[in-house]
């Protein structure tokens, strides 16, 4: 069996967006499915990780086509030096920045990769006429890729799986975009059209499944996961009481109550102040750094820029506590950040700030891998950190996780193969 996977993110892309389908491709042949990948020829990725090329199996056919990137588009409006976004929406743009955000939001729907749709449909239509492909798979964001799948479905009536790594109109930053009512309706119309026409819709969490089932009849959950980490060195825990966060931390993940509790504990205990260490591996929004400074925690903080993915596990496994703040947005219950699964593999206690009845909390509670504190629950947060610190002092800060094997990438690829076989048969 042969599948054609349409993905914008592919090595050397770094960050979280590339992981899901890179790992599926890595293991699909183990289940008698041959993947062909279609991606961009000249991307401008915010994060680059050349080491991820090693995860691409030998002999995989990778088709590439040129794309007009957002930077190219914006240059026509006078922004010649615009840098590729690392995932943050500027909350205080200049006047020209506001204009550009407005243009981006209302004229490039669903996103700035929309100009890739028409040429990709032409290229892939020709390819599909000459090669036998059983199923095409599109993954978003960017959700423009689903529009490629939609047009190929309409044109060739090929079996089509639409995979949503993140929601579309329910994504955490959607409410921040300067969208007109007309643009919002267009997003909703396109989203519903994709959901109604895809033969199967894949999602990463239960809340997204529930939301999508209003429009799609065949929605399946296959979460993100973790892969086997090859390590030649022994894990040595940090000697200080380290709270470690991996990945992007934008303004929506900036929970002031965390910084306030840590500051208060430093003021209340000289030992805690001496032992506390904060590590941030990845990009932080200015609002986060400002808050850390405001609460007098800079002296306890280490800021580490993006590191190759194969090195991330070193920071995770040596952490005393792994921090996992969830975006405080209307869609918070459905947010299931990919880092949770790699945190599981690290086998260190997780401290999450998230809805206590959300998808993330369910996984942490079922795997017994940490503590979930709801938004604004200062009392529980303080008590939880105090308990973790006491265990740290007593050299007893550990977890006894259970059933995390279900989230291994190979196990998840097996589930994906079942979805593909079911669709074809």
């Amino acid at each position: 069996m042969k599948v054609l996977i349409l993905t914008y993110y592919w090595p050397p892309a770094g960050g979280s967006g590339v992981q899901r389908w890179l790992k599926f491709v890595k293991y699909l042949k183990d289940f008698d499915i041959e993947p062909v990948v279609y991606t961009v020829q000249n991307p401008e990725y915010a994060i680059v990780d050349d080491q991820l090329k090693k995860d691409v199996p030998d002999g995989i056919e990778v088709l590439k086509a040129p794309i007009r990137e957002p930077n190219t588009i914006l240059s026509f409006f006078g922004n010649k030096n615009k840098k590729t976004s690392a995932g943050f929406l500027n909350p205080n743009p200049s006047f020209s920045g506001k204009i550009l955000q407005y243009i981006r939001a209302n004229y490039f729907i669903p996103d700035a990769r929309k100009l890739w749709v028409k040429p990709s449909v032409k290229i892939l239509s020709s390819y599909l006429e000459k090669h036998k492909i059983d199923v095409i798979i599109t993954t978003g964001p960017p959700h423009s890729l689903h529009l490629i799948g939609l047009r190929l479905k309409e044109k060739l009536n090929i079996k089509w799986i639409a995979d949503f790594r993140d929601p579309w109109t329910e994504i955490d930053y959607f409410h921040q975009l300067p969208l007109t009512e007309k643009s919002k309706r267009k997003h909703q119309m396109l989203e519903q059209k994709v959901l109604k026409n895809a033969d199967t819709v894949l999602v990463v969490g239960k809340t997204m499944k529930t939301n999508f089932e209003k429009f799609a009849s065949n929605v399946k959950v296959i979460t993100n996961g973790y892969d086997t980490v090859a390590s030649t060195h022994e894990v040595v825990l940090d000697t200080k009481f380290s709270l470690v966060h991996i990945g992007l931390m934008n303004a929506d993940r900036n929970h002031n109550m965390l910084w306030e509790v840590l500051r208060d504990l430093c003021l209340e205990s000289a030992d805690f102040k001496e032992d506390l260490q904060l590590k941030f591996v990845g990009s932080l929004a200015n609002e986060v750094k400002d808050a850390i400074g405001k609460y007098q925690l800079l002296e306890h903080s280490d800021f580490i820029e993006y590191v190759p993915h194969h090195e991330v596990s070193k920071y995770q496994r040596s952490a005393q506590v792994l921090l996992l703040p969830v975006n405080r947005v209307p869609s918070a219950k459905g947010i299931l950040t990919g880092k949770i699964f790699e945190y599981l593999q690290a086998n260190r206690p997780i401290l999450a700030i998230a809805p206590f009845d959300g998808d993330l909390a369910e996984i942490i509670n079922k795997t017994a891998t940490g503590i979930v504190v709801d938004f604004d629950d200062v009392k529980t947060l303080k008590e939880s950190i105090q308990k973790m610190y006491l265990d740290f002092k007593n050299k007893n800060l550990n977890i006894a996780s259970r059933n995390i094997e279900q989230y291994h990438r190979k196990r998840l690829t097996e589930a994906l193969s079942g979805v593909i076989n079911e669709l074809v048969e």
Side-chain angles (χ1 to χ4, degrees):
M1 192 179 301
K2 209 168 187 179
V3 296
L4 175 63
I5 299 160
L6 284 61
T7 176
Y8 174 80
Y9 294 104
W10 190 251
S16 58
V18 69
Q19 294 294 327
R20 181 171 172 86
W21 283 94
L22 173 61
K23 300 301 184 180
F24 280 147
V25 168
K26 177 179 177 180
Y27 290 113
L28 270 173
K29 281 195 171 183
D30 291 345
F31 302 99
D32 300 319
I33 296 175
E34 182 180 349
V36 177
V37 175
Y38 175 77
T39 190
V40 290
Q41 186 178 80
N42 56 325
E44 293 184 5
Y45 295 132
I47 302 172
V48 172
D49 187 347
D50 286 312
Q51 290 289 327
L52 291 180
K53 293 177 182 177
K54 295 179 180 179
D55 269 346
V56 180
D58 292 336
I60 293 295
E61 183 178 7
V62 179
L63 311 172
K64 294 185 178 183
I67 185 173
R68 291 175 68 188
E69 280 282 353
N71 290 3
T72 306
I73 297 164
L74 290 173
S75 69
F76 291 116
F77 301 100
N79 195 6
K80 304 288 186 183
N81 299 314
K82 175 72 177 175
K83 291 184 178 179
T84 306
S85 169
F88 304 134
L89 189 68
N90 186 352
N92 299 300
S94 62
F95 177 73
S96 61
K98 288 180 181 178
I99 294 174
L100 290 170
Q101 282 189 3
Y102 181 86
I103 292 171
R104 205 52 198 268
N106 295 286
Y107 290 89
F108 297 102
I109 296 174
D111 48 65
R113 278 84 188 194
K114 66 172 287 186
L115 296 181
W116 203 44
V117 176
K118 187 175 180 179
S120 293
V121 171
K122 182 178 180 181
I123 291 168
L124 292 176
S125 294
S126 176
Y127 180 86
L128 290 167
E129 287 172 1
K130 299 172 184 175
H131 301 83
K132 186 182 184 303
I133 295 291
D134 296 285
V135 179
I136 61 169
I137 302 171
T138 57
T139 180
H143 297 304
S144 287
L145 275 80
H146 296 315
L147 300 188
I148 301 173
L150 176 64
R151 294 191 188 179
L152 291 172
K153 175 68 176 178
E154 293 172 339
K155 187 175 180 179
L156 304 174
N157 195 31
I158 190 167
K159 297 290 186 182
W160 170 36
I161 296 173
D163 172 67
F164 287 82
R165 303 188 316 276
D166 286 306
W168 189 327
T169 56
E170 293 290 328
I171 199 164
D172 51 20
Y173 56 78
F174 191 79
H175 66 289
Q176 298 175 353
L177 298 173
L179 292 164
T180 64
E181 289 304 313
K182 181 180 178 181
S183 295
K184 289 178 185 177
R185 289 194 297 271
K186 186 171 183 180
H187 271 287
Q188 291 163 351
M189 180 272 292
L190 290 173
E191 178 183 37
Q192 291 174 26
K193 195 171 183 181
V194 166
L195 293 173
K196 289 175 180 177
N197 284 276
D199 295 285
T200 302
V201 174
L202 284 185
V203 295
V204 297
K206 291 182 178 179
T207 299
M208 206 190 312
K209 180 178 189 290
T210 300
N211 292 339
F212 280 178
E213 282 178 330
K214 300 169 189 172
F215 310 105
S217 59
N218 190 25
V219 186
K220 309 276 191 183
V221 176
I222 299 182
T223 66
N224 286 312
Y226 67 87
D227 203 6
T228 304
V229 174
S231 179
T232 57
H233 56 272
E234 183 182 356
V235 176
V236 179
L237 290 177
D238 294 335
T239 55
K240 286 183 171 287
F241 181 59
S242 59
L243 278 61
V244 179
H245 180 270
I246 307 291
L248 303 178
M249 187 182 284
N250 61 20
D252 289 333
R253 296 174 186 168
N254 181 38
H255 299 284
N256 282 319
M257 74 168 180
L258 172 62
W259 318 128
E260 182 179 354
V261 164
L262 292 174
R263 179 202 61 188
D264 290 350
L265 288 171
C266 286
L267 292 173
E268 293 167 12
S269 167
D271 285 346
F272 186 90
K273 182 177 181 179
E274 175 64 26
D275 290 331
L276 178 63
Q277 181 183 35
L278 299 172
K279 285 187 187 179
F280 303 94
V281 182
S283 298
L284 271 65
N286 290 332
E287 292 87 344
V288 179
K289 289 186 178 179
D290 291 344
I292 291 170
K294 175 184 174 183
Y295 288 97
Q296 296 141 33
L297 296 170
L298 284 175
E299 65 179 285
H300 303 281
S301 302
D302 294 330
F303 302 102
I304 303 158
E305 284 302 313
Y306 180 82
V307 298
H309 187 260
H310 72 285
E311 294 182 15
V312 166
S313 65
K314 176 178 66 175
Y315 292 97
Q316 293 170 340
R317 297 163 73 201
S318 63
Q320 293 293 345
V321 177
L322 289 164
L323 275 179
L324 188 50
V326 162
N327 308 54
R328 185 163 190 167
V329 292
S331 57
K333 286 186 180 181
I335 292 177
L336 198 53
T337 174
K339 72 169 65 73
I340 174 60
F341 302 101
E342 296 194 353
Y343 277 15
L344 297 183
Q345 184 186 218
N347 202 36
R348 298 303 303 151
I350 298 168
L351 176 61
I353 301 175
F356 69 92
D357 55 350
D359 292 355
L360 181 74
E362 181 177 353
I363 287 177
I364 290 176
N365 292 332
K366 283 187 174 180
T367 56
T369 48
I371 297 169
V372 180
V373 179
D374 210 346
F375 300 145
D376 297 323
D377 192 350
V378 178
K379 182 174 182 290
T380 300
L381 180 61
K382 187 172 184 178
E383 290 174 349
S384 299
I385 294 175
Q386 285 176 315
K387 171 67 166 57
M388 286 177 161
Y389 179 63
L390 181 61
D391 288 341
F392 162 76
K393 294 297 281 186
N394 291 329
K395 302 188 185 307
N396 191 36
L397 182 54
N398 298 298
I399 56 170
S401 61
R402 55 177 182 258
N403 300 325
I404 70 168
E405 297 81 9
Q406 62 186 302
Y407 300 113
H408 192 284
R409 294 285 188 182
K410 187 169 184 177
R411 185 81 66 87
L412 296 168
T413 306
E414 182 178 16
L416 172 64
S417 70
V419 171
I420 294 170
N421 282 305
E422 179 184 342
L423 180 58
V424 171
E425 292 168 3

